[in-house]
Amino acid sequence: MPFPVAADHRICFIGDSFVQGCGDPLCLGWAGRLAQHAAANGTALTYYNLGIRRNTSRDIAARWLQESLPRLPEESERRLVFSFGVNDTVIENGRRRVEEEESIANFRAILRKAAAQAPVLMVGPPPLPDDAQNINIAALDRQFAREAEALDIPYLSVFDPLLLDEHWRVEALSNDGAHPRKLGYDRLAQLVQQWDRWWFG
């Protein structure tokens, strides 16, 4: 028996290389896995991956609206998913690429404006196999969670579950030192899929 045809859902995943799925041999990443699962379960879905390597919150603030709106026609069921923050914490030339105060301001501006356009979810930054940088990522994750709560936007912190995941760190170390491979992205997709705020459960 065929699945019923649902409303036409358009969803944009916007963020960095983890959103893009760098390192995944299946070229899906966690966003592609979620879209694949939704489509397999009968959701009429058009999925756009707008992840860009090395993008910081500053980069995303400058581009997300122009890139997403043409992909989200008003007659469709529109959705926006954001995930970023790791690149903000990278140290280059002795300083963070984006200081924490600016990261938080960018987060607030992006999500406040996005929420006026469509339903929004935010997935927090994942850990790296770098204990020193993880201190800053974890701190930013906590700040983002507080800001999201103040904005009444659902926020999923994946930092602690992935830090404890047996595959995430091992795959990142054996790959490029940052991005996992298949099993790591499987786990991240699973965390979002099992989240009670995810739209296509």
Side-chain angles (χ1 to χ4, degrees):
M1 181 176 179
F3 289 109
V5 176
D8 178 24
H9 291 86
R10 306 288 181 96
I11 183 168
C12 292
F13 292 84
I14 305 166
D16 52 24
S17 55
F18 290 101
V19 171
Q20 197 275 331
C22 288
D24 179 22
L26 301 181
C27 298
L28 289 171
W30 60 272
R33 282 164 169 76
L34 291 169
Q36 187 180 65
H37 186 275
N41 283 279
T43 300
L45 183 72
T46 302
Y47 142 75
Y48 298 100
N49 190 315
L50 302 179
I52 297 180
R53 294 192 78 153
R54 286 182 51 80
N55 257 202
T56 65
S57 63
R58 184 187 301 151
D59 299 317
I60 292 162
R63 71 176 175 86
W64 78 266
L65 186 63
Q66 182 179 5
E67 291 183 6
S68 62
L69 283 189
R71 294 171 169 87
L72 301 173
E74 291 185 3
E75 65 272 15
S76 66
E77 291 289 331
R78 308 192 292 178
R79 300 285 188 271
L80 291 164
V81 181
F82 290 89
S83 184
F84 54 82
V86 172
N87 290 316
D88 289 34
T89 69
V90 170
I91 304 298
E92 288 186 348
N93 301 317
R95 60 184 299 176
R96 283 171 65 131
R97 290 185 65 201
V98 180
E99 294 297 334
E100 185 175 280
E101 184 176 345
E102 184 188 345
S103 296
I104 295 166
N106 290 335
F107 177 96
R108 188 184 303 123
I110 291 167
L111 295 191
R112 181 180 289 135
K113 192 165 189 176
Q117 305 296 327
V120 177
L121 298 178
M122 174 74 188
V123 176
L128 296 179
D130 182 321
D131 294 340
Q133 189 172 350
N134 279 340
I135 293 172
N136 291 328
I137 297 172
L140 193 60
D141 180 48
R142 292 191 295 269
Q143 292 278 10
F144 281 177
R146 284 193 283 268
E147 288 294 326
E149 183 177 12
L151 293 169
D152 196 27
I153 288 174
Y155 183 92
L156 177 65
S157 175
V158 298
F159 183 89
D160 287 337
L162 293 178
L163 192 65
L164 297 174
D165 184 78
E166 60 179 317
H167 301 295
W168 185 268
R169 183 182 183 95
V170 170
E171 286 191 334
L173 286 171
S174 66
N175 183 30
D176 61 1
H179 303 95
R181 293 184 66 77
K182 178 185 181 301
L183 296 176
Y185 283 113
D186 284 347
R187 177 58 176 146
L188 180 46
Q190 181 185 54
L191 290 172
V192 182
Q193 186 68 52
Q194 294 176 345
W195 185 25
D196 62 2
R197 304 303 296 271
W198 176 240
W199 298 300
F200 311 115

